[in-house]
Amino acid sequence: MPSAIIEASRIIKDYGSFRALHSVSLEVGTGEFVALVGPSGCGKTTLLKIIAGFEEPTSGELKIAGSNMDGVPAAKRPVRMVFQRLALFPHKTVRDNIGFPLKLAKTEKVEADRRVRAMLDLMHLNPSYLGRYPAQLSGGEQQRVALARALVSRPGVLLLDEPMSALDVKLKKSLQAELKNLHRNLGTSFVLVTHDLEEAMMLADRICVMRSGRVLQVGTPSEIYYRPVDTFVASFIGDTNLFPVSIANGQGGSVAFSSPIIACDSAIAPKAQCSPTIEGDRASLLVRPEAMRFVEAGNAQPFATLNGKVEEFFIKGASIQFRIRVDGHPVPVVMDLPGTPNIPAAVGADVTIGFDRSDVFLLQE
Amino acid sequence: MRIEHKSWRDPLLIGATVPLALIMILFFVVPLIMTGILTFQSSRYYRLAWTWDLTIWRDVFGHSHYWVVMLRTLGMSLACVVLSVLIAYPVAYGLATRLGSLRHHVTILITFAFLTDTVLKTFGWILVLDQNGVLNWGLSHLGFEPGAVNILFTPTATLIGMVYNLAVYPIFTLYLSLARIDRDLQLAAYDAGASRFRTFFEVTLPLSRPGLYAGAALVFVLSLGAFLEPKVMGGGNAPMASELINQSFSTRVNWPLGAALTLVLIVIGSASLALSAALTLRRRGGEQGRLSDVG
């Protein structure tokens, strides 16, 4: 990781008797894109507000660009925020909204105008919008103006508080792509708060998964997806398969597991596919839906198989999702196959499904 | 909700609006027309004479006495507007942003004070401002000489009474405007590098303008008609327009004169209301001001 621009260590935040953050530590590297992800109330927005300077931590230390931020007001921090509801000034034109930080910094008029226009260009906004008011713009355009206002004074860190949660899917996708592009071109550090792990995985270099005021895991999108620390992180992205298994130490540090519903000749997972936090003789076996496939009799058998009945399937376009009821498992097993016009199995069909050893991961139940 | 053009044919709607329309016509429009008609007549030997000429209007605009009273009324009203708004703004700001759970208690207290009979409150001020009143008694205990404050029965006292009775209007209109401002807008200003002071003038004050204009217009219009305060606290030394009108009708029995002065006052009041509405409704780009902005 490059040198850290944000160093938050052991941040505690209490609201009365409620502890919103339990000793949270996080580092954001210069030029890095970090996403804070978690369900509502997990403390991700509180952490962002502490970084922005809108909230004081109860205890702990926050350094930005090497300086301690104790008692430094929001106005004096080298960070800018894009608000969830954007917070564009309704009584100011696009020009005055974007130029507001420059006006406060007493930037010379010609220079300020040049930079406002440059931001407009960067955000692919038409220069004729300069004289408009925020209410005259579409949701996506308002979004860009908010980004432009936050970036115009070239902050070291851009904080984004779920700025895309109110947009429709198509617009969201295009803005996400733009945001990623923007980050690559500017070299500014981005910290994005979102409850959407998929969005975080698309955009961020590293993801910090939070729950109930604690950091559960910090890692690259791949680490979060394939090597989650616990079942909460594993299932946060949406549908996934977690099978409860009994485990025992195998040879060479590998772990042997067994489950009454999984048929497997040598049920051994290499050490690298086991979470280091596993304790006792119970664990959860994680198999992502896209690692599952149908097994036809006579063909080569995969590492492990399950028998069940197709309960439902959904055509999602690029993929088809099957939900397969397996006796002895409380929830349907989820399987994503590449999209095809020929549906391989009908509802109610008895099927065998399987997965490979390289696709399993064992983690604390 | 969009009102369809055919709504005037809706018998229910007509049934609901006709009584109100009739009452408004009968008790507002008709008297206004009668007042207008009166101004073209004259008064002779304490009796109304149907002359149909412009004598009264020439009197009203030709006599310096009327000008003095009207200008004094305007001056007092403007001073009252400025003072009321200056007092109301911090109160409304505190109510909207600072008081938290105490807000409702304070609102109830202000409402009770507002609902207390104005005559009582105005006479109450005499007890405070009198030479031997509460204020001077307090000041004398602080080492001032007895009767240090001697403002009762002066225009200053009138102004104090007017501001006291009318400041509650801008408090509520400003409160409604301030409470609607998204807190994130102020945070966004801090984030952009603005001090609290700057944030107030760049964000809070401009966004509270609807409440400011509405409150100012209410105070101004009600000040124009102030009758009690000049009479009770001003001691009648410097009469304002309403006193003049009252005298024209009751003492001098010159109804045409009273009617003309009344119309002048109504025109000034309406103009100030129109100005306030125009300022509030002024189209600021897409941010279409609405009367609902003030509640």
Side-chain angles (χ1 to χ4, degrees):
Chain A
M1 194 178 70
S3 67
I5 188 156
I6 296 177
E7 298 160 81
S9 36
R10 298 183 304 284
I11 302 276
I12 292 175
K13 177 67 190 178
D14 291 334
Y15 292 107
S17 60
F18 172 71
R19 179 154 287 189
L21 291 177
H22 299 260
S23 192
V24 167
S25 298
L26 177 74
E27 283 194 6
V28 177
T30 306
E32 198 184 19
F33 196 144
V34 171
L36 305 177
V37 187
S40 22
C42 72
K44 56 191 193 293
T45 299
T46 306
L47 183 58
L48 198 75
K49 284 183 170 167
I50 287 173
I51 296 171
F54 301 145
E55 299 273 359
E56 285 284 318
T58 306
S59 75
E61 190 190 39
L62 174 69
K63 277 182 172 180
I64 299 178
S67 350
N68 196 312
M69 286 292 127
D70 252 6
V72 178
K76 298 268 194 302
R77 298 187 181 196
V79 300
R80 289 283 180 267
M81 176 126 146
V82 178
F83 289 78
Q84 184 166 17
R85 284 169 293 157
L86 305 184
L88 293 172
F89 303 119
H91 58 297
K92 289 181 189 290
T93 59
V94 167
R95 179 200 303 275
D96 292 345
N97 262 289
I98 299 177
F100 189 57
L102 301 176
K103 179 178 165 192
L104 293 170
K106 296 193 172 61
T107 311
E108 198 235 333
K109 266 223 168 91
V110 180
E111 166 70 3
D113 190 59
R114 193 189 61 74
R115 279 168 68 178
V116 167
R117 283 172 186 279
M119 284 319 294
L120 222 54
D121 195 42
L122 186 67
M123 294 299 156
H124 310 293
L125 284 165
N126 193 314
S128 66
Y129 285 6
L130 278 176
R132 294 203 187 173
Y133 290 88
Q136 292 172 301
L137 305 177
S138 72
E141 289 160 354
Q142 293 183 2
Q143 203 85 41
R144 286 154 210 245
V145 173
L147 270 168
R149 181 180 68 185
L151 289 169
V152 73
S153 52
R154 299 176 190 141
V157 183
L158 182 71
L159 307 175
L160 301 130
D161 183 12
E162 304 205 35
M164 285 173 291
S165 56
L167 297 177
D168 63 75
V169 178
K170 205 175 161 200
L171 195 54
K172 197 176 192 168
K173 292 272 181 246
S174 83
L175 268 162
Q176 283 168 341
E178 253 176 79
L179 203 59
K180 181 101 180 171
N181 198 12
L182 203 60
H183 173 255
R184 195 172 292 127
N185 293 338
L186 289 176
T188 306
S189 306
F190 282 30
V191 179
L192 169 74
V193 158
T194 177
H195 60 266
D196 181 355
L197 184 55
E198 214 176 306
E199 177 174 287
M201 298 214 304
M202 277 176 64
L203 298 176
D205 301 323
R206 281 192 312 142
I207 295 168
C208 168
V209 184
M210 297 179 68
R211 183 196 190 182
S212 315
R214 288 186 172 86
V215 173
L216 299 180
Q217 188 173 7
V218 182
T220 63
S222 163
E223 284 166 356
I224 299 288
Y225 192 69
Y226 294 109
R227 300 288 179 261
V229 288
D230 62 14
T231 54
F232 176 80
V233 178
S235 50
F236 191 63
I237 191 143
D239 295 320
T240 198
N241 300 303
L242 288 162
F243 304 102
V245 292
S246 322
I247 53 168
N249 280 328
Q251 292 162 336
S254 62
V255 175
F257 63 89
S258 63
S259 158
I261 60 170
I262 301 174
C264 186
D265 286 342
S266 63
I268 295 167
K271 197 79 190 167
Q273 283 168 237
C274 301
S275 164
T277 58
I278 294 181
E279 279 173 10
D281 58 358
R282 308 281 308 158
S284 279
L285 184 72
L286 168 69
V287 185
R288 291 293 183 188
E290 64 276 14
M292 292 281 187
R293 62 175 189 270
F294 283 123
V295 179
E296 276 151 49
N299 288 9
Q301 293 293 300
F303 167 65
T305 57
L306 298 109
N307 293 316
K309 197 187 269 287
V310 175
E311 188 179 88
E312 191 56 86
F313 66 82
F314 309 103
I315 299 173
K316 294 163 86 179
S319 65
I320 303 177
Q321 181 169 83
F322 283 84
R323 301 178 85 85
I324 293 155
R325 177 65 65 185
V326 173
D327 281 339
H329 195 54
V331 291
V333 174
V334 196
M335 174 169 76
D336 284 348
L337 296 181
T340 162
N342 309 311
I343 310 300
V347 171
D350 289 311
V351 293
T352 303
I353 53 175
F355 50 88
D356 291 329
R357 175 179 279 157
S358 57
D359 291 325
V360 305
F361 187 65
L362 276 168
L363 47 92
Q364 182 66 44
E365 193 170 24
Chain B
M1 191 185 74
R2 209 182 126 78
I3 295 172
E4 300 289 333
H5 281 296
K6 62 180 182 193
S7 61
W8 60 271
R9 271 181 287 185
D10 183 345
L12 262 177
L13 203 61
I14 293 174
T17 47
V18 160
L20 184 67
L22 280 180
I23 288 173
M24 288 298 282
I25 291 171
L26 203 61
F27 295 102
F28 182 71
V29 180
V30 171
L32 204 60
I33 295 171
M34 284 164 63
T35 311
I37 291 173
L38 264 180
T39 63
F40 300 106
Q41 321 309 330
S42 316
S43 174
R44 289 199 192 115
Y45 311 112
Y46 299 105
R47 297 187 74 122
L48 191 62
W50 295 89
T51 50
W52 295 101
D53 57 23
L54 292 174
T55 325
I56 286 301
W57 285 111
R58 268 195 290 274
D59 269 6
V60 166
F61 289 108
H63 278 56
S64 63
H65 175 64
Y66 300 133
W67 279 100
V68 168
V69 174
M70 279 298 168
L71 286 177
R72 179 189 295 138
T73 307
L74 280 180
M76 290 289 274
S77 300
L78 284 176
C80 183
V81 166
V82 171
L83 288 174
S84 299
V85 166
L86 283 180
I87 290 170
Y89 207 104
V91 177
Y93 191 81
L95 271 181
T97 60
R98 289 295 137 84
L99 287 179
S101 57
L102 264 179
R103 166 187 311 171
H104 302 297
H105 300 85
V106 177
T107 311
I108 288 169
L109 284 179
I110 294 176
T111 311
F112 271 127
F114 173 54
L115 291 177
T116 308
D117 186 54
T118 317
V119 179
L120 276 181
K121 284 188 292 189
T122 311
F123 275 101
W125 269 102
I126 293 185
L127 299 179
V128 176
L129 294 181
D130 190 70
Q131 278 216 288
N132 304 314
V134 177
L135 185 62
N136 276 319
W137 175 83
L139 285 177
S140 69
H141 283 268
L142 291 174
F144 291 86
E145 49 188 280
V149 177
N150 190 10
I151 55 168
L152 193 60
F153 307 132
T154 67
T156 312
T158 305
L159 198 55
I160 290 175
M162 284 163 63
V163 170
Y164 178 78
N165 285 330
L166 297 177
V168 67
Y169 292 96
I171 288 180
F172 282 123
T173 58
L174 279 166
Y175 168 74
L176 289 170
S177 262
L178 287 166
R180 280 171 52 108
I181 298 176
D182 186 353
R183 168 90 182 130
D184 278 357
L185 292 177
Q186 284 150 358
L187 291 183
Y190 296 151
D191 189 65
S195 61
R196 285 174 179 280
F197 187 75
R198 196 73 193 266
T199 300
F200 177 79
F201 283 100
E202 291 276 0
V203 177
T204 315
L205 186 60
L207 290 177
S208 65
R209 270 186 306 216
L212 200 64
Y213 296 147
L218 279 171
V219 172
F220 186 73
V221 170
L222 291 169
S223 295
L224 286 180
F227 178 70
L228 191 67
E229 296 88 348
K231 189 117 179 150
V232 174
M233 295 176 69
N237 301 326
M240 285 172 57
S242 54
E243 175 65 21
L244 193 63
I245 291 168
N246 178 45
Q247 280 175 10
S248 307
F249 278 107
S250 61
T251 321
R252 297 162 66 179
V253 201
N254 190 341
W255 285 26
L257 176 65
L261 291 168
T262 304
L263 278 189
V264 170
L265 215 54
I266 287 176
V267 167
I268 295 173
S270 309
S272 71
L273 277 179
L275 176 70
S276 160
L279 284 171
T280 310
L281 290 169
R282 183 172 48 174
R283 198 182 160 83
R284 298 193 60 82
E287 187 221 4
Q288 174 83 64
R290 289 177 304 268
L291 280 178
S292 63
D293 281 356
V294 293

